[in-house]
Amino acid sequence: AGTKQGNDQAEFLLGAGRHAFSTDTYVISPLFFPGGDIGSLAVHGTVNDLAMGGAVPLYLSAGFIIEEGFPIADLKRIAASMGRAARESGVAIVTGDTKVVERGKGDGVFINTAGIGRVPEGVDLSGDRARPGDAILLSGSIGDHGIAIMASRSGLRFDTTIESDSAALHTLVAAMLAAAPGALRLLRDPTRGGLAATLNEIAAQSGVGMRLDEAAIPIKPQVRGACELLGLDPLNVANEGKLIAVCDPAAADAVVAAMRAHPLGREAARIGFVTADPQRFVEMHTCFGGRRMVDWLHGEQLPRIC
């Protein structure tokens, strides 16, 4: 069977139906942060890569690269968190491996995961399917994960604790698919590079442009304030529990309603639309009435984010 290139998962035929297969490696620093840790993040991240193709996650593998001298108590804590996240997500971790590297060669622990999921009949989501006029939807506030990591790493203190949004999104995706069968063109989770990089990636893959409404993009006040303090653009900050959807505009209201009815989509919003643009530009109408380009981030604001 053929595979689709440029997506977060590979699809293939296995027996009677289509399946999705994805793999990722997690090197986050710090290992424990407000709202999660490397163990839960590894499960959520792989589940989400499958879910963005519409797949129902089934099985995961887990490979640990452990630095010599890493505390056993921390390793147990990570493994317990990973198991808890898998149970809550309804997936099974069916195989795994551990390797130990010399002290100073591994920075604590790295985790590699792979996941397999089943793609329901009639679901066809891919980054090359956006069409002019399509609606662009966002499941909730952006920047929470990246700012939580930066605050933990730098010892920054804010009046309100900013927690990572790390979460498994497959049940949200299922609700969206059920609300408007056949209307969704594609889904993506805006992780490294944030909303800006993900939208530019979709625009390039589909050969279209995009027009965003800044006022419609949900951002928590404490995240916006932290970004202003640190000189960051929230559109470039990583997320681990949000998704972008591009859908038929006629179904956009129904999809947003289904998202808002789900615990992980209560702040869902329609943030823009797809345009016919051979330059593949992503533009945004600002709150001040102007217009600006939303470009790729050159370099990375914060390495080791996931």
Side-chain angles (χ1 to χ4, degrees):
T3 61
K4 294 179 179 177
Q5 301 300 316
N7 296 319
D8 285 334
Q9 67 292 127
E11 293 185 6
F12 55 92
L13 293 173
L14 181 65
R18 289 185 300 146
H19 287 68
F21 180 43
S22 182
T23 187
D24 207 342
T25 303
Y26 299 86
V27 296
I28 193 167
S29 175
L31 299 175
F32 304 95
F33 48 86
D37 55 62
I38 191 173
S40 59
L41 180 69
V43 171
H44 294 159
T46 304
V47 164
N48 290 347
D49 280 348
L50 295 171
M52 295 308 102
V56 178
L58 298 173
Y59 305 110
L60 302 182
S61 70
F64 286 71
I65 299 175
I66 307 163
E67 183 183 14
E68 179 186 10
F70 187 72
I72 292 295
D74 285 349
L75 187 60
K76 288 182 176 179
R77 181 181 170 189
I78 291 168
S81 175
M82 199 169 189
R84 185 165 55 250
R87 288 190 296 273
E88 292 171 351
S89 301
V91 298
I93 300 175
V94 295
T95 187
D97 183 47
T98 60
K99 291 292 186 293
V100 177
V101 297
E102 294 90 343
R103 189 184 299 272
K105 299 294 180 64
D107 197 16
V109 62
F110 301 149
I111 300 177
N112 172 268
T113 53
I116 292 177
R118 177 180 53 82
V119 182
E121 191 69 29
V123 173
D124 184 17
L125 305 176
S126 180
D128 61 358
R129 296 192 64 226
R131 298 292 180 264
D134 284 348
I136 303 170
L137 314 179
L138 178 63
S139 66
S141 60
I142 61 171
D144 299 27
H145 178 73
I147 294 300
I149 298 303
M150 178 169 285
S152 296
R153 191 179 297 177
S154 306
L156 298 176
R157 295 291 182 266
F158 303 104
D159 291 339
T160 303
T161 299
I162 300 173
E163 293 192 350
S164 169
D165 60 347
S166 180
L169 297 170
H170 59 301
T171 57
L172 174 61
V173 170
M176 295 166 66
L177 290 169
L184 290 176
R185 314 286 198 211
L186 64 94
L187 300 171
R188 284 288 168 86
D189 53 338
T191 53
R192 278 182 296 264
L195 183 67
T198 305
L199 291 178
N200 274 281
E201 181 181 87
I202 294 168
Q205 196 171 350
S206 288
V208 296
M210 295 184 180
R211 191 76 52 79
L212 308 179
D213 177 6
E214 183 177 27
I217 299 173
I219 305 172
K220 289 184 173 68
Q222 59 268 38
V223 171
R224 188 183 299 278
C227 286
E228 290 176 357
L229 177 67
L230 298 167
L232 303 176
D233 185 341
L235 300 184
N236 298 130
V237 179
N239 313 270
E240 288 293 346
K242 300 298 187 304
L243 64 80
I244 298 164
V246 175
C247 74
D248 184 328
D253 289 344
V255 176
V256 170
M259 295 167 78
R260 289 177 176 171
H262 191 282
L264 296 176
R266 289 175 182 149
E267 299 174 308
R270 186 171 182 167
I271 64 168
F273 58 93
V274 177
T275 64
D277 181 0
Q279 301 300 318
R280 305 177 183 183
F281 288 152
V282 178
E283 300 177 277
M284 184 166 68
H285 283 290
T286 70
C287 294
F288 299 103
R291 184 184 297 180
R292 75 173 178 93
M293 297 295 300
V294 177
D295 205 354
W296 297 88
L297 179 66
H298 299 287
E300 190 170 3
Q301 285 183 339
L302 190 64
R304 302 280 302 279
I305 198 72
C306 61

mmCIF file with all atom_site columns, all heavy atoms in Angstrom, residues 161-183:
data_model
loop_
_atom_site.group_PDB
_atom_site.id
_atom_site.type_symbol
_atom_site.label_atom_id
_atom_site.label_alt_id
_atom_site.label_comp_id
_atom_site.label_asym_id
_atom_site.label_entity_id
_atom_site.label_seq_id
_atom_site.pdbx_PDB_ins_code
_atom_site.Cartn_x
_atom_site.Cartn_y
_atom_site.Cartn_z
_atom_site.occupancy
_atom_site.B_iso_or_equiv
_atom_site.pdbx_formal_charge
_atom_site.auth_seq_id
_atom_site.auth_comp_id
_atom_site.auth_asym_id
_atom_site.auth_atom_id
_atom_site.pdbx_PDB_model_num
ATOM 1   N N   . THR A 1 161 ? -0.124  30.229 38.002 1.00 0.00 ? 161 THR A N   1
ATOM 2   C CA  . THR A 1 161 ? 0.673   29.143 37.442 1.00 0.00 ? 161 THR A CA  1
ATOM 3   C C   . THR A 1 161 ? 0.218   28.840 36.023 1.00 0.00 ? 161 THR A C   1
ATOM 4   O O   . THR A 1 161 ? -0.970  28.652 35.765 1.00 0.00 ? 161 THR A O   1
ATOM 5   C CB  . THR A 1 161 ? 0.539   27.871 38.296 1.00 0.00 ? 161 THR A CB  1
ATOM 6   O OG1 . THR A 1 161 ? 1.010   28.141 39.610 1.00 0.00 ? 161 THR A OG1 1
ATOM 7   C CG2 . THR A 1 161 ? 1.350   26.738 37.699 1.00 0.00 ? 161 THR A CG2 1
ATOM 8   N N   . ILE A 1 162 ? 1.156   28.812 35.103 1.00 0.00 ? 162 ILE A N   1
ATOM 9   C CA  . ILE A 1 162 ? 0.858   28.445 33.719 1.00 0.00 ? 162 ILE A CA  1
ATOM 10  C C   . ILE A 1 162 ? 1.216   26.974 33.553 1.00 0.00 ? 162 ILE A C   1
ATOM 11  O O   . ILE A 1 162 ? 2.349   26.570 33.775 1.00 0.00 ? 162 ILE A O   1
ATOM 12  C CB  . ILE A 1 162 ? 1.665   29.315 32.745 1.00 0.00 ? 162 ILE A CB  1
ATOM 13  C CG1 . ILE A 1 162 ? 1.324   30.797 32.937 1.00 0.00 ? 162 ILE A CG1 1
ATOM 14  C CG2 . ILE A 1 162 ? 1.405   28.888 31.307 1.00 0.00 ? 162 ILE A CG2 1
ATOM 15  C CD1 . ILE A 1 162 ? 2.192   31.742 32.133 1.00 0.00 ? 162 ILE A CD1 1
ATOM 16  N N   . GLU A 1 163 ? 0.226   26.171 33.181 1.00 0.00 ? 163 GLU A N   1
ATOM 17  C CA  . GLU A 1 163 ? 0.429   24.736 33.034 1.00 0.00 ? 163 GLU A CA  1
ATOM 18  C C   . GLU A 1 163 ? 0.432   24.333 31.569 1.00 0.00 ? 163 GLU A C   1
ATOM 19  O O   . GLU A 1 163 ? -0.253  24.941 30.739 1.00 0.00 ? 163 GLU A O   1
ATOM 20  C CB  . GLU A 1 163 ? -0.667  23.959 33.760 1.00 0.00 ? 163 GLU A CB  1
ATOM 21  C CG  . GLU A 1 163 ? -0.621  24.095 35.270 1.00 0.00 ? 163 GLU A CG  1
ATOM 22  C CD  . GLU A 1 163 ? -1.520  23.098 35.960 1.00 0.00 ? 163 GLU A CD  1
ATOM 23  O OE1 . GLU A 1 163 ? -2.326  22.434 35.261 1.00 0.00 ? 163 GLU A OE1 1
ATOM 24  O OE2 . GLU A 1 163 ? -1.426  22.972 37.193 1.00 0.00 ? 163 GLU A OE2 1
ATOM 25  N N   . SER A 1 164 ? 1.189   23.289 31.272 1.00 0.00 ? 164 SER A N   1
ATOM 26  C CA  . SER A 1 164 ? 1.188   22.722 29.930 1.00 0.00 ? 164 SER A CA  1
ATOM 27  C C   . SER A 1 164 ? -0.222  22.251 29.580 1.00 0.00 ? 164 SER A C   1
ATOM 28  O O   . SER A 1 164 ? -0.977  21.795 30.439 1.00 0.00 ? 164 SER A O   1
ATOM 29  C CB  . SER A 1 164 ? 2.161   21.542 29.859 1.00 0.00 ? 164 SER A CB  1
ATOM 30  O OG  . SER A 1 164 ? 1.987   20.817 28.657 1.00 0.00 ? 164 SER A OG  1
ATOM 31  N N   . ASP A 1 165 ? -0.554  22.337 28.307 1.00 0.00 ? 165 ASP A N   1
ATOM 32  C CA  . ASP A 1 165 ? -1.855  21.856 27.841 1.00 0.00 ? 165 ASP A CA  1
ATOM 33  C C   . ASP A 1 165 ? -1.785  20.412 27.361 1.00 0.00 ? 165 ASP A C   1
ATOM 34  O O   . ASP A 1 165 ? -2.716  19.920 26.706 1.00 0.00 ? 165 ASP A O   1
ATOM 35  C CB  . ASP A 1 165 ? -2.382  22.752 26.714 1.00 0.00 ? 165 ASP A CB  1
ATOM 36  C CG  . ASP A 1 165 ? -1.445  22.784 25.503 1.00 0.00 ? 165 ASP A CG  1
ATOM 37  O OD1 . ASP A 1 165 ? -0.299  22.318 25.615 1.00 0.00 ? 165 ASP A OD1 1
ATOM 38  O OD2 . ASP A 1 165 ? -1.853  23.287 24.440 1.00 0.00 ? 165 ASP A OD2 1
ATOM 39  N N   . SER A 1 166 ? -0.715  19.701 27.684 1.00 0.00 ? 166 SER A N   1
ATOM 40  C CA  . SER A 1 166 ? -0.509  18.338 27.202 1.00 0.00 ? 166 SER A CA  1
ATOM 41  C C   . SER A 1 166 ? -1.746  17.463 27.441 1.00 0.00 ? 166 SER A C   1
ATOM 42  O O   . SER A 1 166 ? -2.225  17.336 28.563 1.00 0.00 ? 166 SER A O   1
ATOM 43  C CB  . SER A 1 166 ? 0.707   17.714 27.901 1.00 0.00 ? 166 SER A CB  1
ATOM 44  O OG  . SER A 1 166 ? 0.930   16.400 27.440 1.00 0.00 ? 166 SER A OG  1
ATOM 45  N N   . ALA A 1 167 ? -2.268  16.872 26.373 1.00 0.00 ? 167 ALA A N   1
ATOM 46  C CA  . ALA A 1 167 ? -3.474  16.048 26.455 1.00 0.00 ? 167 ALA A CA  1
ATOM 47  C C   . ALA A 1 167 ? -3.592  15.208 25.197 1.00 0.00 ? 167 ALA A C   1
ATOM 48  O O   . ALA A 1 167 ? -3.064  15.561 24.135 1.00 0.00 ? 167 ALA A O   1
ATOM 49  C CB  . ALA A 1 167 ? -4.718  16.927 26.618 1.00 0.00 ? 167 ALA A CB  1
ATOM 50  N N   . ALA A 1 168 ? -4.300  14.090 25.307 1.00 0.00 ? 168 ALA A N   1
ATOM 51  C CA  . ALA A 1 168 ? -4.590  13.228 24.156 1.00 0.00 ? 168 ALA A CA  1
ATOM 52  C C   . ALA A 1 168 ? -5.867  13.723 23.488 1.00 0.00 ? 168 ALA A C   1
ATOM 53  O O   . ALA A 1 168 ? -6.903  13.858 24.135 1.00 0.00 ? 168 ALA A O   1
ATOM 54  C CB  . ALA A 1 168 ? -4.738  11.783 24.604 1.00 0.00 ? 168 ALA A CB  1
ATOM 55  N N   . LEU A 1 169 ? -5.800  13.975 22.196 1.00 0.00 ? 169 LEU A N   1
ATOM 56  C CA  . LEU A 1 169 ? -6.881  14.651 21.487 1.00 0.00 ? 169 LEU A CA  1
ATOM 57  C C   . LEU A 1 169 ? -7.777  13.733 20.665 1.00 0.00 ? 169 LEU A C   1
ATOM 58  O O   . LEU A 1 169 ? -8.677  14.212 19.968 1.00 0.00 ? 169 LEU A O   1
ATOM 59  C CB  . LEU A 1 169 ? -6.280  15.714 20.558 1.00 0.00 ? 169 LEU A CB  1
ATOM 60  C CG  . LEU A 1 169 ? -5.518  16.846 21.254 1.00 0.00 ? 169 LEU A CG  1
ATOM 61  C CD1 . LEU A 1 169 ? -4.775  17.690 20.214 1.00 0.00 ? 169 LEU A CD1 1
ATOM 62  C CD2 . LEU A 1 169 ? -6.447  17.713 22.073 1.00 0.00 ? 169 LEU A CD2 1
ATOM 63  N N   . HIS A 1 170 ? -7.595  12.430 20.729 1.00 0.00 ? 170 HIS A N   1
ATOM 64  C CA  . HIS A 1 170 ? -8.332  11.546 19.823 1.00 0.00 ? 170 HIS A CA  1
ATOM 65  C C   . HIS A 1 170 ? -9.836  11.534 20.076 1.00 0.00 ? 170 HIS A C   1
ATOM 66  O O   . HIS A 1 170 ? -10.610 11.389 19.127 1.00 0.00 ? 170 HIS A O   1
ATOM 67  C CB  . HIS A 1 170 ? -7.764  10.130 19.889 1.00 0.00 ? 170 HIS A CB  1
ATOM 68  C CG  . HIS A 1 170 ? -7.800  9.506  21.242 1.00 0.00 ? 170 HIS A CG  1
ATOM 69  N ND1 . HIS A 1 170 ? -7.160  10.056 22.328 1.00 0.00 ? 170 HIS A ND1 1
ATOM 70  C CD2 . HIS A 1 170 ? -8.398  8.377  21.701 1.00 0.00 ? 170 HIS A CD2 1
ATOM 71  C CE1 . HIS A 1 170 ? -7.353  9.294  23.389 1.00 0.00 ? 170 HIS A CE1 1
ATOM 72  N NE2 . HIS A 1 170 ? -8.107  8.276  23.038 1.00 0.00 ? 170 HIS A NE2 1
ATOM 73  N N   . THR A 1 171 ? -10.275 11.716 21.323 1.00 0.00 ? 171 THR A N   1
ATOM 74  C CA  . THR A 1 171 ? -11.722 11.733 21.564 1.00 0.00 ? 171 THR A CA  1
ATOM 75  C C   . THR A 1 171 ? -12.342 13.036 21.046 1.00 0.00 ? 171 THR A C   1
ATOM 76  O O   . THR A 1 171 ? -13.482 13.041 20.582 1.00 0.00 ? 171 THR A O   1
ATOM 77  C CB  . THR A 1 171 ? -12.037 11.549 23.056 1.00 0.00 ? 171 THR A CB  1
ATOM 78  O OG1 . THR A 1 171 ? -11.381 12.574 23.823 1.00 0.00 ? 171 THR A OG1 1
ATOM 79  C CG2 . THR A 1 171 ? -11.564 10.176 23.533 1.00 0.00 ? 171 THR A CG2 1
ATOM 80  N N   . LEU A 1 172 ? -11.595 14.132 21.111 1.00 0.00 ? 172 LEU A N   1
ATOM 81  C CA  . LEU A 1 172 ? -12.057 15.378 20.502 1.00 0.00 ? 172 LEU A CA  1
ATOM 82  C C   . LEU A 1 172 ? -12.184 15.208 19.002 1.00 0.00 ? 172 LEU A C   1
ATOM 83  O O   . LEU A 1 172 ? -13.178 15.638 18.394 1.00 0.00 ? 172 LEU A O   1
ATOM 84  C CB  . LEU A 1 172 ? -11.093 16.514 20.841 1.00 0.00 ? 172 LEU A CB  1
ATOM 85  C CG  . LEU A 1 172 ? -11.354 17.864 20.161 1.00 0.00 ? 172 LEU A CG  1
ATOM 86  C CD1 . LEU A 1 172 ? -12.726 18.408 20.537 1.00 0.00 ? 172 LEU A CD1 1
ATOM 87  C CD2 . LEU A 1 172 ? -10.250 18.870 20.520 1.00 0.00 ? 172 LEU A CD2 1
ATOM 88  N N   . VAL A 1 173 ? -11.198 14.594 18.388 1.00 0.00 ? 173 VAL A N   1
ATOM 89  C CA  . VAL A 1 173 ? -11.239 14.362 16.947 1.00 0.00 ? 173 VAL A CA  1
ATOM 90  C C   . VAL A 1 173 ? -12.449 13.502 16.580 1.00 0.00 ? 173 VAL A C   1
ATOM 91  O O   . VAL A 1 173 ? -13.154 13.781 15.602 1.00 0.00 ? 173 VAL A O   1
ATOM 92  C CB  . VAL A 1 173 ? -9.936  13.694 16.472 1.00 0.00 ? 173 VAL A CB  1
ATOM 93  C CG1 . VAL A 1 173 ? -10.056 13.231 15.017 1.00 0.00 ? 173 VAL A CG1 1
ATOM 94  C CG2 . VAL A 1 173 ? -8.757  14.657 16.615 1.00 0.00 ? 173 VAL A CG2 1
ATOM 95  N N   . ALA A 1 174 ? -12.715 12.467 17.361 1.00 0.00 ? 174 ALA A N   1
ATOM 96  C CA  . ALA A 1 174 ? -13.857 11.594 17.079 1.00 0.00 ? 174 ALA A CA  1
ATOM 97  C C   . ALA A 1 174 ? -15.167 12.383 17.118 1.00 0.00 ? 174 ALA A C   1
ATOM 98  O O   . ALA A 1 174 ? -16.053 12.177 16.271 1.00 0.00 ? 174 ALA A O   1
ATOM 99  C CB  . ALA A 1 174 ? -13.897 10.441 18.080 1.00 0.00 ? 174 ALA A CB  1
ATOM 100 N N   . ALA A 1 175 ? -15.288 13.295 18.088 1.00 0.00 ? 175 ALA A N   1
ATOM 101 C CA  . ALA A 1 175 ? -16.500 14.115 18.180 1.00 0.00 ? 175 ALA A CA  1
ATOM 102 C C   . ALA A 1 175 ? -16.637 15.030 16.973 1.00 0.00 ? 175 ALA A C   1
ATOM 103 O O   . ALA A 1 175 ? -17.747 15.243 16.453 1.00 0.00 ? 175 ALA A O   1
ATOM 104 C CB  . ALA A 1 175 ? -16.470 14.932 19.470 1.00 0.00 ? 175 ALA A CB  1
ATOM 105 N N   . MET A 1 176 ? -15.535 15.579 16.491 1.00 0.00 ? 176 MET A N   1
ATOM 106 C CA  . MET A 1 176 ? -15.562 16.456 15.327 1.00 0.00 ? 176 MET A CA  1
ATOM 107 C C   . MET A 1 176 ? -15.951 15.687 14.070 1.00 0.00 ? 176 MET A C   1
ATOM 108 O O   . MET A 1 176 ? -16.762 16.155 13.262 1.00 0.00 ? 176 MET A O   1
ATOM 109 C CB  . MET A 1 176 ? -14.185 17.109 15.146 1.00 0.00 ? 176 MET A CB  1
ATOM 110 C CG  . MET A 1 176 ? -13.798 18.037 16.284 1.00 0.00 ? 176 MET A CG  1
ATOM 111 S SD  . MET A 1 176 ? -12.031 18.482 16.260 1.00 0.00 ? 176 MET A SD  1
ATOM 112 C CE  . MET A 1 176 ? -11.943 19.438 14.737 1.00 0.00 ? 176 MET A CE  1
ATOM 113 N N   . LEU A 1 177 ? -15.381 14.514 13.900 1.00 0.00 ? 177 LEU A N   1
ATOM 114 C CA  . LEU A 1 177 ? -15.704 13.699 12.728 1.00 0.00 ? 177 LEU A CA  1
ATOM 115 C C   . LEU A 1 177 ? -17.170 13.287 12.729 1.00 0.00 ? 177 LEU A C   1
ATOM 116 O O   . LEU A 1 177 ? -17.833 13.266 11.685 1.00 0.00 ? 177 LEU A O   1
ATOM 117 C CB  . LEU A 1 177 ? -14.808 12.454 12.698 1.00 0.00 ? 177 LEU A CB  1
ATOM 118 C CG  . LEU A 1 177 ? -13.320 12.702 12.398 1.00 0.00 ? 177 LEU A CG  1
ATOM 119 C CD1 . LEU A 1 177 ? -12.519 11.442 12.659 1.00 0.00 ? 177 LEU A CD1 1
ATOM 120 C CD2 . LEU A 1 177 ? -13.129 13.164 10.959 1.00 0.00 ? 177 LEU A CD2 1
ATOM 121 N N   . ALA A 1 178 ? -17.697 12.975 13.907 1.00 0.00 ? 178 ALA A N   1
ATOM 122 C CA  . ALA A 1 178 ? -19.096 12.561 14.010 1.00 0.00 ? 178 ALA A CA  1
ATOM 123 C C   . ALA A 1 178 ? -20.044 13.722 13.737 1.00 0.00 ? 178 ALA A C   1
ATOM 124 O O   . ALA A 1 178 ? -21.142 13.531 13.192 1.00 0.00 ? 178 ALA A O   1
ATOM 125 C CB  . ALA A 1 178 ? -19.367 11.980 15.403 1.00 0.00 ? 178 ALA A CB  1
ATOM 126 N N   . ALA A 1 179 ? -19.631 14.944 14.095 1.00 0.00 ? 179 ALA A N   1
ATOM 127 C CA  . ALA A 1 179 ? -20.498 16.112 13.940 1.00 0.00 ? 179 ALA A CA  1
ATOM 128 C C   . ALA A 1 179 ? -20.677 16.513 12.483 1.00 0.00 ? 179 ALA A C   1
ATOM 129 O O   . ALA A 1 179 ? -21.725 17.066 12.117 1.00 0.00 ? 179 ALA A O   1
ATOM 130 C CB  . ALA A 1 179 ? -19.932 17.291 14.734 1.00 0.00 ? 179 ALA A CB  1
ATOM 131 N N   . ALA A 1 180 ? -19.680 16.243 11.657 1.00 0.00 ? 180 ALA A N   1
ATOM 132 C CA  . ALA A 1 180 ? -19.749 16.675 10.249 1.00 0.00 ? 180 ALA A CA  1
ATOM 133 C C   . ALA A 1 180 ? -19.003 15.670 9.371  1.00 0.00 ? 180 ALA A C   1
ATOM 134 O O   . ALA A 1 180 ? -17.893 15.947 8.907  1.00 0.00 ? 180 ALA A O   1
ATOM 135 C CB  . ALA A 1 180 ? -19.165 18.071 10.095 1.00 0.00 ? 180 ALA A CB  1
ATOM 136 N N   . PRO A 1 181 ? -19.586 14.500 9.156  1.00 0.00 ? 181 PRO A N   1
ATOM 137 C CA  . PRO A 1 181 ? -18.909 13.469 8.353  1.00 0.00 ? 181 PRO A CA  1
ATOM 138 C C   . PRO A 1 181 ? -18.509 13.987 6.971  1.00 0.00 ? 181 PRO A C   1
ATOM 139 O O   . PRO A 1 181 ? -19.316 14.576 6.259  1.00 0.00 ? 181 PRO A O   1
ATOM 140 C CB  . PRO A 1 181 ? -19.974 12.359 8.248  1.00 0.00 ? 181 PRO A CB  1
ATOM 141 C CG  . PRO A 1 181 ? -20.861 12.569 9.440  1.00 0.00 ? 181 PRO A CG  1
ATOM 142 C CD  . PRO A 1 181 ? -20.906 14.059 9.632  1.00 0.00 ? 181 PRO A CD  1
ATOM 143 N N   . GLY A 1 182 ? -17.249 13.784 6.635  1.00 0.00 ? 182 GLY A N   1
ATOM 144 C CA  . GLY A 1 182 ? -16.752 14.176 5.327  1.00 0.00 ? 182 GLY A CA  1
ATOM 145 C C   . GLY A 1 182 ? -16.396 15.635 5.168  1.00 0.00 ? 182 GLY A C   1
ATOM 146 O O   . GLY A 1 182 ? -15.865 16.036 4.136  1.00 0.00 ? 182 GLY A O   1
ATOM 147 N N   . ALA A 1 183 ? -16.657 16.467 6.201  1.00 0.00 ? 183 ALA A N   1
ATOM 148 C CA  . ALA A 1 183 ? -16.429 17.910 6.070  1.00 0.00 ? 183 ALA A CA  1
ATOM 149 C C   . ALA A 1 183 ? -15.010 18.328 6.427  1.00 0.00 ? 183 ALA A C   1
ATOM 150 O O   . ALA A 1 183 ? -14.542 19.374 5.965  1.00 0.00 ? 183 ALA A O   1
ATOM 151 C CB  . ALA A 1 183 ? -17.418 18.682 6.947  1.00 0.00 ? 183 ALA A CB  1
#
